[in-house]
Amino acid sequence: MSKADEAPYEKGGEQERRGTITSVNLNKNLDAKVSNPLADIPIETLEKDVEEFAAANKLEHITPLLKKGALVARDPAGYEELDLDEIELEAIRTEVLHRWRHPKLLYVTIIICSIGAAVHGCWLSDPSNNWFGRRGTIFISAVFCLLTPIGGALTQNWEQLFITRILMGVGMGLKGATVPIFAAENSPAAIRGALVMSWQMWTAFGIFLGFCANLAVADAGSIAWRLQIGSAFLPAVPLTVGIYFCPESPRWYIKKRRFADAFRSLQKLRNHDLLAARDLYYIHAQVEVEHSIVGESTYVKRFIELFTIPRVRRATLASFVVMIAQQMCGKLTSSLPTYADVLGINIIAFYSSTVFKNAGASAKESLIASFGFGLVNFVFAWPAIWTIDTFGRRTLLLFTFPQMAWTLLAAGFAFYIPESSTAHLGIIAMFIYLFAAFYSPGEGPVPFTYSAEVFPLSHREVGMGWAVATCLFWAAVLSISFPRILAAFTSVGAFGFYA
């Protein structure tokens, strides 16, 4: 080893990765990025580190594989120059050139997460994730989402219904704060944004199912509301059953120092054992560097650090902005709070049928118009699968926000068209649908994807809890206040206010 290679390492045996402490230090990291913690480590030192890691964690049987994986992670672009066999090289080339070619179990896991979006205690997510893991927390939330709609449908007074809604809120909070993290931690980096944004796409599908249910039971008479509330249990059934067919998050296992379990999870989620070994050691290196800086912490300390550590505070502020923007932009979707139980809803989401009625539609026509909105909302969520990792989260927001503003404003001005005109309802509906078409690939998927990624691992659970709590709190506040806003501002003023 040359003197240059030895320079970054202190004498006396204690090694320090050059550049890593500065780049990961949560107090000094001004651009909030974490550099590759393996990039500056000399090869001989890295191989020795891997041997010690394998010996300490009873992974000696895969030590050669871990060494190769660590070298690939050290220089992701230089894998062709490493001493790898043809099968291993082909596995990496496939990952690079065919970024959607991954094991079926990865996509099964994402589908189960997507069901979680369709069914819809944020602050319970941190201790729940710590005790029960990602899968366990999602299972608990699924049980809440399975039982509370049935209970709500059978209630005999408003107090009982209120209690079932509170309990459902616990399940929603746990699920909303955990599912995006679970999807992000299981996904390969190249398509992580696309897979995590499936949360919003299937949220839109859940809203669409809500409209379908509304139409299906519209003529059911006095029990219609019970059927509407009770039908929400149906998507929770496959979520409750399917979550235990998914591998646990390898990052959670590594955080708990269960490295053998983490490797088994990664084997199921990657195309080759080399890729699993690479990600295992790379994640371990990130966690170790982060732990050396943050140290041990309690739930209360981590919550306080959301606002005191500059790097984490910026993540907290950013997640707050994108979440409150999702509520304030005035997306119109569901006619009943029942079907606003899916996350990602903002204010007028609860009242689209009311808006269409104000536009002159009959009760049945307003349900049909809302159904059309739900369909547009779902269909236009699909483009974000390809655009979110190609153009980035910020670019999607910068493009779609202006379009959302003018379409919402145009929908408001369309109320000035005389109600006697056949164009009155049609023009209003057209601009509302255009608004949905811009919302779905932008402000729809970005907040949850962004919030699941922006926090360091040490603060990820409590940070995501903060983000989802922001989303749901303002959804509650605005849904309560909207009837008064509509009465005071009229439809034109309400649309202009949220534009």
Side-chain angles (χ1 to χ4, degrees), residues 318-385:
S319 64
F320 174 82
V321 169
V322 294
M323 283 297 190
I324 197 172
Q326 190 183 71
Q327 297 305 315
M328 286 295 194
C329 66
K331 176 182 153 201
L332 297 109
T333 51
S334 176
S335 60
L336 291 173
T338 302
Y339 289 102
D341 289 337
V342 286
L343 297 176
I345 306 297
N346 32 32
I347 173 55
I348 316 177
F350 302 105
Y351 297 102
S352 64
S353 291
T354 300
V355 171
F356 285 121
K357 285 180 183 177
N358 288 350
S362 66
K364 190 65 174 287
E365 288 172 341
S366 66
L367 287 176
I368 294 173
S370 295
F371 170 86
F373 180 90
L375 182 61
V376 171
N377 189 36
F378 174 58
V379 169
F380 280 88
W382 284 88
I385 293 178

Side-chain angles (χ1 to χ4, degrees), residues 108-399:
V108 169
T109 300
I110 299 302
I111 290 171
I112 295 298
C113 292
S114 301
I115 293 173
V119 297
H120 341 312
C122 303
W123 300 119
L124 297 175
S125 63
D126 185 285
S128 296
N129 275 274
N130 184 51
W131 296 332
F132 306 116
R134 313 292 192 234
R135 287 193 313 166
T137 301
I138 293 172
F139 175 77
I140 293 170
S141 71
V143 171
F144 275 95
C145 294
L146 176 67
L147 298 180
T148 52
I150 298 174
L154 299 176
T155 54
Q156 301 302 311
N157 52 57
W158 74 266
E159 292 92 346
Q160 294 174 358
L161 181 60
F162 181 67
I163 291 172
T164 63
R165 307 312 285 175
I166 290 177
L167 292 175
M168 175 171 275
V170 174
M172 288 171 56
L174 287 172
K175 178 173 55 62
T178 304
V179 168
I181 293 175
F182 184 60
E185 291 181 344
N186 282 349
S187 303
I191 56 172
R192 182 174 297 133
L195 296 184
V196 176
M197 71 74 47
S198 66
W199 168 270
Q200 166 60 22
M201 186 176 70
W202 294 103
T203 291
F205 182 66
I207 296 169
F208 176 64
L209 289 181
F211 289 128
C212 292
N214 286 346
L215 278 174
V217 302
D219 300 322
S222 61
I223 65 167
W225 71 272
R226 295 186 184 275
L227 296 175
Q228 289 173 333
I229 290 176
S231 63
F233 92 94
L234 292 174
V237 175
L239 175 63
T240 306
V241 175
I243 189 60
Y244 271 98
F245 291 97
C246 303
E248 179 58 274
S249 163
R251 284 183 179 268
W252 185 83
Y253 276 139
I254 291 171
K255 189 176 179 181
K256 295 296 182 180
R257 306 198 68 80
R258 295 168 58 178
F259 297 102
D261 290 331
F263 184 63
R264 281 191 287 270
S265 281
L266 285 166
Q267 282 180 302
K268 298 173 183 177
L269 297 167
R270 301 295 183 262
N271 281 321
H272 193 278
D273 286 354
L274 174 64
L275 303 180
R278 175 201 63 188
D279 290 351
L280 175 69
Y281 194 75
Y282 184 74
I283 296 169
H284 159 70
Q286 288 181 317
V287 172
E288 285 298 299
V289 171
E290 186 177 280
H291 181 75
S292 69
I293 298 166
V294 177
E296 298 293 338
S297 63
T298 63
Y299 173 68
V300 174
K301 182 181 178 183
R302 287 195 298 275
F303 177 77
I304 294 173
E305 287 172 347
L306 290 180
F307 309 97
T308 58
I309 295 179
R311 168 13 182 150
V312 183
R313 185 170 62 237
R314 286 191 292 273
T316 302
L317 177 61
S319 64
F320 174 82
V321 169
V322 294
M323 283 297 190
I324 197 172
Q326 190 183 71
Q327 297 305 315
M328 286 295 194
C329 66
K331 176 182 153 201
L332 297 109
T333 51
S334 176
S335 60
L336 291 173
T338 302
Y339 289 102
D341 289 337
V342 286
L343 297 176
I345 306 297
N346 32 32
I347 173 55
I348 316 177
F350 302 105
Y351 297 102
S352 64
S353 291
T354 300
V355 171
F356 285 121
K357 285 180 183 177
N358 288 350
S362 66
K364 190 65 174 287
E365 288 172 341
S366 66
L367 287 176
I368 294 173
S370 295
F371 170 86
F373 180 90
L375 182 61
V376 171
N377 189 36
F378 174 58
V379 169
F380 280 88
W382 284 88
I385 293 178
W386 292 276
T387 58
I388 196 167
D389 285 313
T390 302
F391 300 110
R393 288 71 163 143
R394 184 170 177 269
T395 302
L396 288 180
L397 293 181
L398 289 175
F399 172 73

Side-chain angles (χ1 to χ4, degrees), residues 65-88:
L65 198 61
L66 284 171
K67 285 183 178 180
K68 291 181 180 180
L71 292 174
V72 174
R74 178 181 181 270
D75 182 13
Y79 63 89
E80 293 282 3
E81 300 174 6
L82 299 176
D83 184 19
L84 305 176
D85 62 42
E86 189 58 34
I87 296 176
E88 293 167 337

Side-chain angles (χ1 to χ4, degrees), residues 23-94:
S23 63
V24 184
N25 189 304
L26 299 181
N27 286 297
K28 297 180 179 178
N29 181 15
L30 299 180
D31 43 5
K33 296 179 181 178
V34 179
S35 65
N36 184 345
L38 306 178
D40 291 335
I41 303 178
I43 292 177
E44 292 180 12
T45 304
L46 180 60
E47 290 181 338
K48 184 179 178 181
D49 286 349
V50 172
E51 290 174 358
E52 293 174 354
F53 166 75
N57 295 286
K58 299 180 181 179
L59 297 173
E60 295 93 337
H61 60 290
I62 60 168
T63 299
L65 198 61
L66 284 171
K67 285 183 178 180
K68 291 181 180 180
L71 292 174
V72 174
R74 178 181 181 270
D75 182 13
Y79 63 89
E80 293 282 3
E81 300 174 6
L82 299 176
D83 184 19
L84 305 176
D85 62 42
E86 189 58 34
I87 296 176
E88 293 167 337
L89 285 171
E90 188 59 32
I92 301 176
R93 290 171 188 148
T94 299

